[in-house]
Amino acid sequence: MTLPVFVDVDTGVDDAMALVYLFASREAEVVGIASTAGNVGVQQVCENNLGLLELCKVGDVPVSKGSEQPISTPLRTAEDTHGPEGMGYARLPRTDRQLTPYDAAEAWVRAARAHPGELVAVAAGPLTNLALALREEPALPKLLRRLVIMGGAFDYRGNTTPVAEWNISVDPEAAAEVFAVWGSAWGLAPPKHVPIVLGLNLTENIAMTPALLSRLAAEAESSSLPMSVLDDRGTRSVASNPLIAVLEDAMRFYFEFHFDQNEGYLAHLHDPLAAAVALDPDLVACRATTVDVELTGTLTKGMTIADWSNRWGREANALIGVGVNPELFFDRFVTRVGAFAKRLYS
Ligand code: BDR
Ligand code: CA
């Protein structure tokens, strides 16, 4: 039995890794990709998504363009983190693939209606298009089998402001709208229907390193040179496998960014964890609670607040990830993506 999976991304180095993981997973069938403005502008996100389909030789997956701007906050992008085109130093193949004639919000609704009660969704960018989709189809939460959101930081520092995480910070109004919908009177009881929310407190445990990238290349039976912090910046991959080469070129930029942030020569794979959890929720331990987003604080806008002790007296609207085993995740990531790269290019 394959799981129909819908992915909303602002591709982005780690979004790209998440997409590749889903393509590599035999139990998943990606039925649609929503492109959201975030790490880079939405047109570039669309091009990256189409280029990745080409690179991964994936058949006809509809890619839809989302809103150019967040709901009411002006767009910010993160080329410093993900490179000028969002893929670090990597270049994606050209493609004639086209976007859908309908937009990303409609894509959410179409996918959910086409697979009622079956669709597994991953939101790994700002929640702009999901919020717009919920306006269009208020029954969306009931149509989904599962939703995993990468966003927020719970009892943990932010990566965009001292307290706010990127995806929530780019479109805090959208995030607040999404959590409000799941918190309203749907008669949806946790743990079944509320979104699984993976914040930085969890995803920053998932650190890709040069050693893990070497393991990935070996698994793909690709030639490759180990990367090092001592390499010249921007050194291009010599991997013989084209998928491994793209991932290495993308990851090198991401390593350099994390290094400059004093986090070491490594990179956090936030979005791939969300993709893996969408296919297998047992990868994380979660706690049900009510989440809301700060919209007015001059210092705290975009902060996610979890009401662990139910002081608000509101229904739970999220399952917050609180525990993960990074080794288990990386074993799965390396095995699946390595075998996929080998299948594609040997
Ligand atoms: C999130 O922000 C983006 O830059 C990444 O793609 C990820 O979705 C982490 O805060
Ligand atoms: Ca992302």
Side-chain angles (χ1 to χ4, degrees), residues 10 14-15 39 124-125 167 271:
D10 60 333
D14 62 325
D15 302 78
N39 289 324
N167 289 337
D271 298 345

Side-chain angles (χ1 to χ4, degrees), residues 288-304:
T289 191
T290 312
V291 172
D292 210 336
V293 180
E294 174 60 62
L295 296 180
T296 51
T298 51
L299 299 175
T300 52
K301 190 172 178 193
M303 181 180 185
T304 41

Side-chain angles (χ1 to χ4, degrees), residues 11-14 16 40 48 78-92 234 236 246-256:
T11 320
V13 173
D14 62 325
V40 287
N48 293 347
E79 286 82 0
D80 60 332
T81 314
H82 294 270
E85 294 174 356
M87 287 295 297
Y89 295 115
R91 293 281 162 273
L92 290 170
R236 299 297 295 272
V246 162
L247 298 183
E248 288 187 352
D249 283 340
M251 287 309 305
R252 185 184 288 280
F253 192 98
Y254 215 30
F255 285 162
E256 291 172 359

Side-chain angles (χ1 to χ4, degrees), residues 37-38 70 73-76 126 128 160 165-173:
T73 298
L75 178 65
R76 256 173 319 153
T128 316
T160 305
E165 179 277 336
W166 174 259
N167 289 337
I168 306 296
S169 193
V170 169
D171 198 342
E173 286 79 11

Side-chain angles (χ1 to χ4, degrees), residues 118-339:
E118 296 295 318
L119 193 68
V120 171
V122 187
L127 296 173
T128 316
N129 294 310
L130 176 54
L132 295 173
L134 286 163
R135 290 181 189 177
E136 203 172 310
E137 175 51 284
L140 195 64
K142 284 185 182 163
L143 291 169
L144 298 180
R145 170 172 178 171
R146 179 154 63 239
L147 169 63
V148 179
I149 294 173
M150 190 284 126
F154 300 96
D155 303 331
Y156 196 79
R157 61 175 169 70
N159 63 355
T160 305
T161 75
V163 294
E165 179 277 336
W166 174 259
N167 289 337
I168 306 296
S169 193
V170 169
D171 198 342
E173 286 79 11
E177 219 172 298
V178 167
F179 286 118
V181 168
W182 259 276
S184 60
W186 284 95
L188 302 173
K192 205 172 171 199
H193 291 295
V194 294
I196 296 173
V197 182
L198 305 180
L200 299 176
N201 51 298
L202 209 66
T203 61
E204 288 198 356
N205 290 295
I206 307 298
M208 177 58 104
T209 59
L212 284 163
L213 270 187
S214 295
R215 257 181 69 194
L216 180 64
E219 191 79 23
E221 293 179 7
S222 171
S223 66
S224 140
L225 286 177
M227 281 187 205
S228 156
V229 66
L230 301 173
D231 295 342
D232 288 339
R233 290 203 160 210
T235 300
R236 299 297 295 272
S237 169
V238 293
S240 51
N241 184 297
L243 175 54
I244 298 297
V246 162
L247 298 183
E248 288 187 352
D249 283 340
M251 287 309 305
R252 185 184 288 280
F253 192 98
Y254 215 30
F255 285 162
E256 291 172 359
F257 168 78
H258 284 75
F259 182 77
D260 291 343
Q261 303 286 309
N262 296 319
E263 296 182 277
Y265 201 65
L266 49 78
H268 298 131
L269 295 193
H270 312 276
D271 298 345
L273 180 66
V277 170
L279 303 188
D280 179 6
D282 290 341
L283 276 174
V284 287
C286 291
R287 228 181 115 186
T289 191
T290 312
V291 172
D292 210 336
V293 180
E294 174 60 62
L295 296 180
T296 51
T298 51
L299 299 175
T300 52
K301 190 172 178 193
M303 181 180 185
T304 41
I305 295 132
D307 183 13
W308 297 117
S309 42
N310 200 23
R311 293 188 191 280
W312 296 329
R314 282 154 50 184
E315 254 190 86
N317 61 359
L319 284 167
I320 306 291
V322 292
V324 66
N325 175 345
E327 261 176 49
L328 185 61
F329 166 81
F330 275 113
D331 284 348
R332 209 170 282 185
F333 186 90
V334 165
T335 312
R336 289 186 180 201
V337 175

